[in-house]
Amino acid sequence: DIFDREKYFIDDHLIKLSDKFPDLKIILEHVSSKYGADFVNQSNNVYATITPHHMLLTKKDVFRSNIEPHNYCMPVAKEESDLLALRKYACSGNEKFFIGTDSAPHEIKFKENTNNVRPGIFSAPCFIELYTEIFEEEDSLHNLEKFASINGAKFYNLDINNDKIKLIKKDWILDEFTKLDNIKVKNFYGGRILKWQLIDNVLDN
Protein backbone atom coordinates (compact mmCIF):
# COMPACT_ATOMS: atom_id res chain seq x y z
CA ASP A 1 0.00 0.00 0.00
CA ILE A 2 1.53 3.32 -1.07
CA PHE A 3 0.35 4.97 2.15
CA ASP A 4 2.19 2.45 4.35
CA ARG A 5 5.51 2.10 2.52
CA GLU A 6 7.35 4.56 4.74
CA LYS A 7 6.30 2.78 7.93
CA TYR A 8 7.28 -0.65 6.63
CA PHE A 9 10.61 0.60 5.30
CA ILE A 10 11.41 2.03 8.71
CA ASP A 11 10.27 -1.09 10.57
CA ASP A 12 11.86 -3.63 8.22
CA HIS A 13 15.09 -1.85 7.26
CA LEU A 14 15.87 1.56 8.73
CA ILE A 15 15.67 0.53 12.39
CA LYS A 16 18.07 -2.34 11.70
CA LEU A 17 20.50 -0.09 9.82
CA SER A 18 20.38 2.56 12.51
CA ASP A 19 21.04 0.02 15.26
CA LYS A 20 23.79 -1.79 13.36
CA PHE A 21 25.66 1.41 12.49
CA PRO A 22 25.07 3.74 15.46
CA ASP A 23 27.87 6.12 14.41
CA LEU A 24 26.56 6.47 10.85
CA LYS A 25 24.49 9.59 10.23
CA ILE A 26 21.49 8.59 8.10
CA ILE A 27 19.19 10.94 6.18
CA LEU A 28 15.56 9.98 5.53
CA GLU A 29 14.87 12.12 2.48
CA HIS A 30 11.39 13.65 2.15
CA VAL A 31 9.81 12.15 5.24
CA SER A 32 6.06 12.20 4.66
CA SER A 33 4.34 10.69 7.70
CA LYS A 34 3.90 11.33 11.39
CA TYR A 35 5.24 7.83 11.99
CA GLY A 36 8.42 8.63 10.08
CA ALA A 37 8.91 12.03 11.67
CA ASP A 38 8.38 10.61 15.16
CA PHE A 39 10.95 7.91 14.45
CA VAL A 40 13.50 10.48 13.28
CA ASN A 41 12.89 12.62 16.35
CA GLN A 42 13.45 9.64 18.67
CA SER A 43 16.44 8.20 16.79
CA ASN A 44 20.02 8.94 17.76
CA ASN A 45 21.47 9.02 14.23
CA VAL A 46 18.62 9.46 11.71
CA TYR A 47 17.73 12.90 10.31
CA ALA A 48 15.15 13.96 7.72
CA THR A 49 14.30 16.49 5.04
CA ILE A 50 10.76 17.80 4.58
CA THR A 51 9.29 19.14 1.34
CA PRO A 52 6.90 22.10 1.12
CA HIS A 53 4.23 20.01 -0.60
CA HIS A 54 4.07 17.44 2.19
CA MET A 55 3.22 20.33 4.52
CA LEU A 56 0.53 21.65 2.16
CA LEU A 57 -1.19 18.60 0.64
CA THR A 58 -3.12 15.60 1.93
CA LYS A 59 -4.31 12.58 -0.01
CA LYS A 60 -7.64 14.36 -0.53
CA ASP A 61 -5.79 16.86 -2.75
CA VAL A 62 -4.46 13.99 -4.88
CA PHE A 63 -7.12 11.29 -4.99
CA ARG A 64 -10.52 12.67 -5.87
CA SER A 65 -12.96 11.16 -8.38
CA ASN A 66 -9.92 11.16 -10.67
CA ILE A 67 -6.29 11.58 -9.68
CA GLU A 68 -5.03 15.17 -9.60
CA PRO A 69 -1.75 14.60 -11.50
CA HIS A 70 -0.03 17.84 -10.51
CA ASN A 71 -0.40 16.99 -6.80
CA TYR A 72 0.76 13.40 -7.27
CA CYS A 73 4.22 12.70 -5.87
CA MET A 74 6.27 10.00 -4.22
CA PRO A 75 6.25 9.61 -1.32
CA VAL A 76 2.54 10.21 -1.70
CA ALA A 77 0.75 12.87 0.37
CA LYS A 78 -1.00 11.34 3.36
CA GLU A 79 -3.48 12.29 6.10
CA GLU A 80 -3.98 15.69 7.72
CA SER A 81 -2.46 14.30 10.92
CA ASP A 82 0.74 13.58 8.98
CA LEU A 83 0.78 17.08 7.48
CA LEU A 84 0.33 18.66 10.90
CA ALA A 85 3.11 16.55 12.41
CA LEU A 86 5.52 17.52 9.64
CA ARG A 87 4.71 21.19 10.16
CA LYS A 88 5.31 20.82 13.88
CA TYR A 89 8.73 19.25 13.44
CA ALA A 90 9.86 21.52 10.59
CA CYS A 91 8.91 24.69 12.44
CA SER A 92 10.18 23.60 15.85
CA GLY A 93 13.84 24.47 15.28
CA ASN A 94 14.74 20.80 15.84
CA GLU A 95 18.14 20.32 14.15
CA LYS A 96 17.17 16.83 12.94
CA PHE A 97 14.85 18.29 10.28
CA PHE A 98 15.77 20.53 7.37
CA ILE A 99 14.91 21.67 3.88
CA GLY A 100 14.52 19.23 0.98
CA THR A 101 12.34 20.39 -1.89
CA ASP A 102 12.19 17.23 -4.04
CA SER A 103 11.30 19.52 -6.94
CA ALA A 104 10.61 17.43 -10.06
CA PRO A 105 10.00 19.19 -13.42
CA HIS A 106 8.01 16.63 -15.41
CA GLU A 107 6.56 17.89 -18.67
CA ILE A 108 2.81 18.39 -18.88
CA LYS A 109 2.45 15.55 -21.38
CA PHE A 110 3.91 13.09 -18.85
CA LYS A 111 1.98 14.42 -15.86
CA GLU A 112 -1.35 14.37 -17.67
CA ASN A 113 -0.88 10.91 -19.18
CA THR A 114 -3.88 9.08 -17.71
CA ASN A 115 -2.31 5.67 -18.34
CA ASN A 116 0.94 6.39 -16.49
CA VAL A 117 1.00 9.59 -14.43
CA ARG A 118 4.56 10.44 -13.41
CA PRO A 119 4.95 11.30 -9.74
CA GLY A 120 6.61 14.59 -8.92
CA ILE A 121 5.87 18.20 -8.02
CA PHE A 122 7.72 21.20 -9.46
CA SER A 123 8.16 23.70 -6.63
CA ALA A 124 11.46 25.29 -7.70
CA PRO A 125 9.88 28.65 -8.71
CA CYS A 126 8.32 29.18 -5.27
CA PHE A 127 9.70 26.76 -2.69
CA ILE A 128 11.30 29.30 -0.36
CA GLU A 129 8.19 31.47 -0.47
CA LEU A 130 6.02 28.45 0.42
CA TYR A 131 8.27 27.44 3.29
CA THR A 132 8.14 31.03 4.56
CA GLU A 133 4.36 31.09 4.38
CA ILE A 134 4.14 27.80 6.28
CA PHE A 135 6.49 29.01 9.01
CA GLU A 136 4.50 32.24 9.33
CA GLU A 137 1.25 30.28 9.66
CA GLU A 138 2.87 28.24 12.43
CA ASP A 139 4.15 31.43 14.15
CA SER A 140 7.72 30.20 13.65
CA LEU A 141 9.45 32.59 11.29
CA HIS A 142 12.26 32.80 13.84
CA ASN A 143 13.10 29.14 13.07
CA LEU A 144 13.03 29.39 9.28
CA GLU A 145 16.76 30.11 8.93
CA LYS A 146 17.64 27.05 11.02
CA PHE A 147 15.46 24.81 8.87
CA ALA A 148 16.50 26.29 5.51
CA SER A 149 20.17 27.13 6.02
CA ILE A 150 21.72 25.83 9.23
CA ASN A 151 20.49 22.35 10.16
CA GLY A 152 21.38 20.80 6.81
CA ALA A 153 24.83 22.38 6.79
CA LYS A 154 25.50 20.97 10.25
CA PHE A 155 24.39 17.51 9.18
CA TYR A 156 26.85 17.54 6.27
CA ASN A 157 29.61 19.22 8.33
CA LEU A 158 29.61 22.27 6.09
CA ASP A 159 30.25 25.88 7.00
CA ILE A 160 27.19 28.09 7.38
CA ASN A 161 26.77 30.20 4.25
CA ASN A 162 27.59 33.88 4.80
CA ASP A 163 25.41 35.06 1.92
CA LYS A 164 21.76 35.86 2.55
CA ILE A 165 18.51 36.07 0.65
CA LYS A 166 15.78 38.64 1.17
CA LEU A 167 12.05 38.01 1.18
CA ILE A 168 9.28 40.54 1.62
CA LYS A 169 5.67 40.01 2.59
CA LYS A 170 3.83 40.86 -0.60
CA ASP A 171 0.96 39.26 -2.49
CA TRP A 172 1.88 38.13 -5.99
CA ILE A 173 0.64 35.58 -8.50
CA LEU A 174 2.99 32.81 -9.56
CA ASP A 175 3.01 31.98 -13.28
CA GLU A 176 1.02 28.83 -13.92
CA PHE A 177 3.72 27.26 -16.07
CA THR A 178 7.47 27.28 -16.62
CA LYS A 179 8.31 27.10 -20.32
CA LEU A 180 11.55 26.44 -22.16
CA ASP A 181 11.41 26.09 -25.94
CA ASN A 182 8.69 23.46 -26.47
CA ILE A 183 8.86 22.15 -22.89
CA LYS A 184 6.02 23.10 -20.54
CA VAL A 185 5.95 22.31 -16.81
CA LYS A 186 3.15 23.07 -14.34
CA ASN A 187 4.38 25.09 -11.38
CA PHE A 188 3.24 23.96 -7.95
CA TYR A 189 0.81 26.63 -6.75
CA GLY A 190 0.94 28.09 -10.27
CA GLY A 191 -1.76 30.70 -10.87
CA ARG A 192 -2.31 31.18 -7.14
CA ILE A 193 -1.56 34.10 -4.85
CA LEU A 194 1.56 33.74 -2.73
CA LYS A 195 2.07 35.89 0.36
CA TRP A 196 5.88 36.17 0.36
CA GLN A 197 8.25 37.04 -2.44
CA LEU A 198 11.98 36.56 -2.92
CA ILE A 199 13.37 39.87 -4.14
CA ASP A 200 17.13 39.26 -4.04
CA ASN A 201 18.84 35.92 -4.66
CA VAL A 202 22.10 36.89 -2.96
CA LEU A 203 22.96 39.83 -0.78
CA ASP A 204 26.46 40.58 0.48
CA ASN A 205 26.78 40.98 4.23
Side-chain angles (χ1 to χ4, degrees), residues 62-97:
V62 185
F63 302 101
R64 301 168 182 167
S65 55
N66 294 309
I67 189 171
E68 170 48 58
H70 299 293
N71 288 340
Y72 178 55
C73 59
M74 285 292 175
V76 67
K78 297 178 174 65
E79 303 286 353
E80 184 178 6
S81 57
D82 298 298
L83 177 152
L84 293 174
L86 295 176
R87 281 181 168 236
K88 171 189 169 185
Y89 282 118
C91 297
S92 68
N94 188 327
E95 66 177 12
K96 302 197 78 180
F97 299 90

Side-chain angles (χ1 to χ4, degrees), residues 25-184:
K25 292 200 299 185
I26 300 171
I27 182 74
L28 180 58
E29 292 285 4
H30 316 137
V31 63
S32 63
S33 67
K34 181 180 186 301
Y35 187 88
D38 286 343
F39 169 76
V40 169
N41 184 54
Q42 295 161 9
S43 171
N44 292 322
N45 60 333
V46 182
Y47 297 68
T49 62
I50 304 178
T51 75
H53 46 273
H54 284 110
M55 294 192 285
L56 292 167
L57 300 175
T58 70
K59 64 182 183 181
K60 292 180 180 179
D61 298 303
V62 185
F63 302 101
R64 301 168 182 167
S65 55
N66 294 309
I67 189 171
E68 170 48 58
H70 299 293
N71 288 340
Y72 178 55
C73 59
M74 285 292 175
V76 67
K78 297 178 174 65
E79 303 286 353
E80 184 178 6
S81 57
D82 298 298
L83 177 152
L84 293 174
L86 295 176
R87 281 181 168 236
K88 171 189 169 185
Y89 282 118
C91 297
S92 68
N94 188 327
E95 66 177 12
K96 302 197 78 180
F97 299 90
F98 46 92
I99 195 169
T101 64
D102 194 24
S103 187
H106 294 301
E107 290 186 63
I108 287 283
K109 63 183 180 182
F110 297 122
K111 288 294 290 179
E112 298 181 352
N113 181 346
T114 56
N115 295 321
N116 184 23
V117 179
R118 291 193 181 178
I121 286 175
F122 185 52
S123 61
C126 62
F127 73 90
I128 194 62
E129 289 91 342
L130 291 177
Y131 279 125
T132 305
E133 189 169 325
I134 291 165
F135 273 69
E136 182 186 35
E137 290 172 353
E138 299 298 325
D139 195 26
S140 297
L141 281 175
H142 58 285
N143 283 328
L144 177 61
E145 184 181 25
K146 296 177 186 176
F147 178 81
S149 304
I150 297 175
N151 294 348
K154 286 184 176 179
F155 173 83
Y156 289 108
N157 296 321
L158 298 173
D159 293 334
I160 305 300
N161 200 325
N162 289 322
D163 293 327
K164 297 184 181 294
I165 61 173
K166 185 174 182 180
L167 295 111
I168 60 170
K169 191 169 185 181
K170 174 186 177 183
D171 287 354
W172 63 288
I173 298 176
L174 175 66
D175 291 339
E176 188 169 3
F177 302 100
T178 292
K179 299 176 183 178
L180 178 64
D181 298 329
N182 62 338
I183 297 173
K184 185 178 180 182

